Amino acid sequence: MKSFFCAIISLCMLPVCVSAQKIIIATDGVAIAYQPDAGKQLQQIYLGKKLSDSASYRNINASLDPAYATGGATYLNEPALQVKHADGNMSLVLNYVSYETKNESPNVVLTDIKLKDPAYPFYVTLHYKAYKTQNIIETWTTISHTEKADVVLNRYASAFINIKSPQNYLTHFYGEYNYEMQMHKFQLPPGIFSIQSKLGVRTACNYNPSFLVSPNNDATETSGEVFAGSLAYSGNFDIQFESLQLNIDMGNSLKIIPGINAYASSYSLKPNENFDTPHFIFTYSVAGEGQISRNFHNWAINYGIWNGHQKRQTLLNNWEATYFNFNQDTLVNLFDGAKKLGVDMFLLDDGWFANKYPRNDSRAGLGDWEANKKKLPGGIGYLVKEATAKGLNFGIWIEPEMVNPKSELYEKHPEWILKAPNRPEHLYRTQLVLDLTNPVVQDYVFGVIDNLMKESPAISYMKWDCNRSMDNAYSPYLGKNQDAMYVRYAAGYYKVLDRIRAKYPKLDMMLCASGGGRVEYGALKYFQEFWPSDNTYPEDRIKIQWGYSYFYPALTVCAHVTAAGSEPLKYKLDVAMSCKLGFDVMVKKMSEREIALSHTVTDNYRRLQDVINYGELYRLVSPYKTNFASLMYVDNAKRKAVVFAYNLESLEADTYPELKLNGLDPNKKYKVTEINLNTGARPQFRENGQVFSGETLMEQGLKWYLKSAKTSSVLELEEI
């Protein structure tokens, strides 16, 4: 079947007049192309593998493939944009005006396509940013007008993507608390399927705003045509897939419409105001799902996350060791445990703050962000000083968007809380959400971080949590203008993060929302990493981390060794090392042998971090299809690799999988060594220390060598 994707090839040029001019947006490997028709309507004429020259992109039956479909006029299916003009007219037509491109860097080209309603001073600009070597395209829309009064935006999608295919298979990611990022693949039927959230915050808890579409069910990790996208937005989202059964001549068509959820979000756009939609990031591959992931990972490290090339800190978190029950001396004593494990940092979790209503459990204190004087008489500054003296960095947990009714903040500022009048106050986790639509509340939330950093400038890390979604949501600040409350909350959240990053660019921050409830690229451009799930059972984590790996690189996925699960410590260490290693354990309850192994693994992770966190990922054996799992990372020079292998709840009747490696140089020789072993332990890999060619490892592979349930292994490959 025909390809359906492409990236940017244009050079800098002046705006182009209305004509049959093709607008080609291309990376090194993929492209999307547009062309205005005789009626000045911009049509998508191609989406797929990059072709050799502009003449190769033909307009074949593109009359039903609008670049950005509008509602109320002649297009009768789901639109990208639906408005009510200042005079009440509900129709919208967008004619092509011009386009221009500019090189933002040798690798990044921006194309802007300008559209206008012929009857109204209403304007839309479609933006496309092509990342050449990453084969990623980022698109968003700017909407503006100069009508005499406000125009109401009822729907305002970030993009409108057309795919021509007789059938399409969708892979999306669903879940709930402790069960995040589970994968589901099915054939899209005629009609509309939607991935959406109305949670207000923690919006990615039940559905992640990322997906893969394949025209054939046989697309695999290494072969087949795949289109994939991810919406970068921290508020309510809606990604619609409308499958249209057309006539024989036109074929079938899939419309992908990602954007802000229109639910309770009509936006009154003032004259001369610009509204920018969230960014939609997409890519395409004819080499299967694995290449999709590598495209996203490469882009994320270089462009999509904060300080992507900064080395990650290993850490010990105190939560499982102490919960809320600690004091100053308890914490300082835990620093010694962190040193024994060999980590870089100690992270102080929940329970360190509030005095009138001390934070001794989850029912009080949220909002009162001063150190509890009884627990911490020396304040946070004392802890930072003591950690530094022991060669440790110091991090701290915050949840600045939330408040307990049992707090001084709630007593002083009830008008700062999102809660519907004339409705019972509904608590979740005994807390409520602050009103970030209010600039004064934005100042307060920024001040939580700013005050901590002023008091203790040596704090190197913050874990930003968010433990509930919105319900009975009403903004006292917005008053009767509640229609766009969800949208304005997300905008307020970003304003706070913009201020934090402008003042504290070197501060490491973890994105957390009772686990992975906020994992998407709208927030990740401000954060280095995220907490994927409160579920730390190793076998569950293998699947959870597997799901995240499709769109998010390993260095963003925090994986902690905890007491959860009956697996051996080595198994837990091996699972955590495959992402961004950390610990949440009671070191004083560990044996010397366990501490020594943990230190060994920490050292190995630090030594191999360039490979694990910055190398290319190859998923080898899927835990969704077998009772086994294996993945590997290969450095860019193909000189080193790390292979992770796990037995899950394997059965006696299981057939052991093939372990064919990938991504190596077939002409190079690699020594294969099993690592992460207890002192004196024999390798499980019986060919340990032997040398193989890359060709042998990829074509013949290795015999699956783990024979018992809940066993694991890590192999290091090094060119000789």
Side-chain angles (χ1 to χ4, degrees), residues 547-558:
Y548 281 114
S549 76
Y550 279 82
F551 289 91
Y552 306 101
L555 80 169
T556 64
V557 185
C558 296

Side-chain angles (χ1 to χ4, degrees), residues 53 90 92 128 156 199 236 362 381 416 445 468 511 530 567 585 637:
D53 58 68
M90 299 288 285
L92 179 63
Y128 300 87
Y156 33 100
L199 300 177
N236 292 345
S362 64
W416 284 9
V445 173
R468 69 156 294 165
L511 179 65
F530 63 86
E567 295 84 356
V585 295

Side-chain angles (χ1 to χ4, degrees), residues 32-35 37 41-45 61-70 75-80 94 115 126 128 159-164 244 253-257:
I32 189 167
Y34 297 100
Q35 187 174 32
D37 61 19
Q41 299 293 292
L42 188 67
Q43 304 290 340
Q44 178 190 312
I45 64 171
N61 294 329
S63 60
L64 291 178
D65 292 337
Y68 196 69
T70 57
Y75 187 79
L76 301 181
N77 295 102
E78 291 295 297
L94 292 176
L115 311 173
L126 307 178
Y128 300 87
F160 191 89
I161 303 294
N162 301 273
I163 292 177
K164 287 291 182 63
L244 303 178
S253 180
L254 174 65
K255 313 299 184 185
I256 302 175
I257 316 170

Side-chain angles (χ1 to χ4, degrees), residues 226-356:
V226 185
F227 173 89
S230 186
L231 184 68
Y233 188 56
S234 304
N236 292 345
F237 63 84
D238 188 4
I239 305 175
Q240 292 186 318
F241 303 85
E242 184 173 22
S243 299
L244 303 178
Q245 301 294 305
L246 306 177
N247 59 47
I248 295 175
D249 292 332
M250 297 298 294
N252 298 331
S253 180
L254 174 65
K255 313 299 184 185
I256 302 175
I257 316 170
I260 292 174
N261 197 323
Y263 168 76
S265 294
S266 294
Y267 189 94
S268 293
L269 187 68
K270 299 182 182 301
N272 296 305
E273 178 187 359
N274 286 342
F275 184 90
D276 287 342
T277 67
H279 292 210
F280 177 62
I281 304 109
F282 64 92
T283 188
Y284 165 86
S285 171
V286 293
E289 297 169 350
Q291 189 59 53
I292 291 290
S293 298
R294 291 186 286 277
N295 291 351
F296 264 96
H297 297 174
N298 190 348
W299 171 82
I301 290 168
N302 287 285
Y303 302 99
I305 58 177
W306 189 263
N307 283 351
H309 288 278
Q310 179 179 323
K311 290 293 181 69
R312 270 39 188 173
Q313 300 185 68
T314 56
L315 61 85
L316 172 64
N317 190 342
N318 72 295
W319 182 244
E320 290 202 7
T322 66
Y323 295 99
F324 293 101
N325 185 26
F326 58 81
N327 58 35
Q328 188 168 277
D329 292 337
T330 305
L331 297 177
V332 172
N333 289 334
L334 291 177
F335 296 167
D336 293 328
K339 291 298 293 182
K340 290 180 180 180
L341 297 176
V343 299
D344 303 305
M345 181 181 66
F346 179 86
L347 172 61
L348 173 59
D349 213 289
D350 197 355
W352 58 267
F353 52 91
N355 286 289
K356 182 177 180 180

